[in-house]
Amino acid sequence: MEKFVINGGNPLRGEVTISGAKNAALAIIPAAILSQDVCRIENVPTSISDVSFMIKTLKHIGAGVKLIDRTTIEIDSRFVNSYVIAHDMTKYLRASYYFIGALLGRFHRARVAMPGGCYLGPRPIDQHIKGFEALGAKVTVEDNAIVETTADELVGSPIYLDVVSVGATVNIMLASVKAQGLTIIENAAKEPHIVDLANFLNSMGADIRGAGTDVIKIRGTDHLHGCTYSIIPDQIEAGTFMVAAAATKGNVLIKNVIPKHLESISSKLVECGAVVEEYDEAVRVSMDTRPGKCNIKTMPHPGFPTDMQPQMAVLLALADGTSIVSESIWSNRFRYTEQLMRMGASITVDGQIAVIHGVDGLRGAPVRADDLRAGAAMIIAGLAASGRTEIEDILYIDRGYENVVEKFGNLGGDIRRVYCVEPFSNADAG
Ligand code: UD1
């Protein structure tokens, strides 16, 4: 078992380079099998565990995957020979369900176990199924555990999403890109990684227009070819470092970012009193006063991202005044507040609203990472707090943050990964 040990109180200072976007990589890696050719993908965050699982899954269905260097992979999809993915491959991450769309697109058939991933509340896939069915696929869900979908042929169709869903938008794009005729996704998600997936598929010869708006038009193509493509920088990793800089009263230049993707985060930081300077491919965040309060409501892009809500709550826990955080995407995304309260935060949660009464300072404590972004919030809290914080269950953090100890360490954060013995339990007895 591993944990992070943090001695807080150092303002973060210096420069950090952001990795490729996890959520874009998780959509683009399975998309590569639609080509029956070789795709070279650059700026891949190869050392996060979610990406390793996607690569393992690709190999399991017969794809060749070569690591060219630390951030570049080559996927050879010519010999993909299976449309079946079992539970041991899907149980760790949500995005494993993108193989349903990709296999359906390639073989007109997929049999994929239900995905795992962070528990943020119920995560239904009804909109994905609605999309596959609209394209002509027959979908059955066996024992709530395996999704089986088959189609004699896939035919483009208009599909209106009842909720704005990133996952359903991605899956329908993957399934429809080689369908006959025109698919129109209405009320589509507009996240930067949706645009990145569309750009990747277009560079393989697809015809996708409108990604980044709420109407995406996909004209099916018979053949997709290999390509070389570079993934966008990770919006949420960048946002995490921006908030960490502000919460520790530091001054950090965050490089390899697309400032436009960070606008909702920058504007909230400015509202709290931070200085945010934008450059072509970098932002600098500095703060030298106590943060001010502000209210946040999470919304689909271009609104404030739900995946930045826990990190921002740490800053607000230290603010001068009371802030209100409304979570409108996930029904169970405030579990981390209990951990923050162990560090001295004052937070009341009522359903999907958290009222945060800012305190003068946080103090180190033993806490755990409830999920990926909750874990990121614990790191920021530990770095900003006085004294020692120990974070358990860091496997969640390793799912989505590359070289997190090195990156925070280079900025002056005192954070170490330590190996510790599993606590004795009854299972070990006798
Ligand atoms: C993706 C992100 C996740 C982020 C979320 C919202 C990845 C791998 N994960 O998750 O980090 O928090 O977007 O920005 O990219 N819904 C339905 N029916 C469906 C699908 C979704 O009701 O068929 C609901 C969900 O319960 C949720 C909302 O729609 O309330 C948004 O979910 P969605 O955008 O699909 O999230 P994910 O793609 O799972």
Side-chain angles (χ1 to χ4, degrees):
M1 194 168 68
E2 293 179 338
K3 59 184 174 181
F4 288 147
V5 175
I6 300 174
N7 290 301
N10 297 348
L12 297 182
R13 288 183 194 285
E15 298 182 359
V16 62
T17 301
I18 297 305
S19 298
K22 169 184 87 86
N23 288 347
L26 296 180
I28 285 172
I29 290 170
I33 69 165
L34 289 160
S35 77
Q36 279 173 272
D37 201 346
V38 179
C39 293
R40 187 183 177 100
I41 310 174
E42 299 165 350
N43 205 29
V44 181
T46 56
S47 62
I48 61 176
S49 61
D50 273 12
V51 166
S52 318
F53 273 113
M54 288 307 255
I55 290 176
K56 266 191 204 149
T57 310
L58 271 184
K59 289 181 175 169
H60 170 80
I61 56 171
V65 185
K66 247 198 271 174
L67 189 67
I68 305 296
D69 61 38
R70 215 178 42 76
T71 58
T72 306
I73 58 173
E74 242 175 41
I75 301 174
D76 181 347
S77 305
R78 284 172 299 168
F79 307 109
V80 172
N81 54 15
S82 169
Y83 60 85
V84 179
I85 301 179
H87 181 61
D88 56 346
M89 292 278 153
T90 65
K91 65 184 173 193
Y92 296 107
L93 77 162
R94 198 76 203 151
S96 54
Y97 61 13
Y98 292 153
F99 278 103
I100 309 176
L103 288 166
L104 191 58
R106 169 131 178 191
F107 293 121
H108 290 189
R109 183 151 201 197
R111 185 175 167 81
V112 178
M114 277 289 195
C118 288
Y119 183 72
L120 309 172
R123 299 183 79 167
I125 61 163
D126 56 301
Q127 299 303 305
H128 304 234
I129 293 174
K130 171 175 160 173
F132 299 146
E133 286 177 342
L135 296 170
K138 181 169 178 295
V139 184
T140 30
V141 181
E142 290 170 21
D143 299 331
N144 227 0
I146 294 175
V147 183
E148 166 100 37
T149 132
T150 49
D152 293 334
E153 52 177 7
L154 292 165
V155 181
S157 156
I159 300 163
Y160 179 85
L161 295 180
D162 301 331
V163 286
V164 179
S165 161
V166 172
T169 304
V170 167
N171 245 336
I172 296 167
M173 286 166 76
L174 296 174
S176 64
V177 71
K178 290 173 84 180
Q180 291 168 29
L182 184 66
T183 297
I184 303 177
I185 310 176
E186 298 203 51
N187 202 24
K190 298 184 282 225
E191 268 64 6
H193 40 290
I194 300 285
V195 180
D196 213 32
L197 173 65
N199 288 341
F200 173 69
L201 290 167
N202 283 343
S203 64
M204 289 162 83
D207 181 358
I208 303 178
R209 295 167 198 208
T213 74
D214 47 21
V215 181
I216 302 180
K217 295 186 178 167
I218 304 150
R219 191 167 290 284
T221 344
D222 286 342
H223 177 76
L224 296 177
H225 51 74
C227 66
T228 297
Y229 189 79
S230 183
I231 286 177
I232 52 166
D234 196 303
Q235 174 204 27
I236 304 299
E237 188 198 11
T240 301
F241 278 96
M242 290 168 79
V243 174
T248 59
K249 297 209 183 105
N251 183 333
V252 178
L253 183 67
I254 298 149
K255 301 195 301 188
N256 186 34
V257 302
I258 299 174
K260 176 103 190 118
H261 293 171
L262 302 172
E263 276 172 359
S264 60
I265 303 162
S266 301
S267 72
K268 284 294 160 186
L269 285 174
V270 168
E271 209 177 314
C272 291
V275 176
V276 180
E277 296 159 60
E278 281 185 11
Y279 304 95
D280 285 347
E281 292 180 0
V283 288
R284 178 181 292 283
V285 176
S286 58
M287 179 116 183
D288 54 15
T289 54
R290 185 173 177 193
K293 64 182 173 142
C294 83
N295 297 337
I296 289 186
K297 181 166 182 162
T298 65
M299 299 290 278
H301 191 77
F304 189 86
T306 173
D307 286 357
M308 279 303 301
Q309 184 257 98
Q311 302 90 311
M312 196 67 192
V314 176
L315 187 71
L316 301 179
L318 291 163
D320 184 7
T322 297
S323 309
I324 296 173
V325 177
S326 317
E327 172 57 53
S328 65
I329 314 283
W330 300 114
S331 60
N332 193 2
R333 198 155 207 180
F334 283 128
R335 285 182 298 160
Y336 69 88
T337 55
E338 270 178 42
Q339 308 298 314
L340 266 188
M341 286 194 278
R342 296 170 77 153
M343 300 178 74
S346 170
I347 306 175
T348 324
V349 175
D350 183 5
Q352 284 173 238
I353 293 183
V355 179
I356 305 179
H357 308 283
V359 294
D360 279 346
L362 297 173
R363 50 179 190 276
V367 292
R368 66 164 188 264
D370 283 308
D371 59 57
L372 168 58
R373 306 305 171 187
M378 291 305 117
I379 293 182
I380 298 173
L383 291 167
S386 59
R388 178 181 166 108
T389 294
E390 293 188 8
I391 309 177
E392 286 190 354
D393 293 342
I394 60 170
L395 76 171
Y396 287 110
I397 302 171
D398 290 334
R399 288 187 42 193
Y401 287 91
E402 266 200 324
N403 308 325
V404 70
V405 168
E406 292 73 13
K407 287 188 180 185
F408 279 112
N410 287 342
L411 295 173
D414 182 348
I415 170 168
R416 281 175 302 131
R417 180 187 293 267
V418 300
Y419 298 84
C420 48
V421 181
E422 297 268 0
F424 181 81
S425 75
N426 282 337
D428 305 317

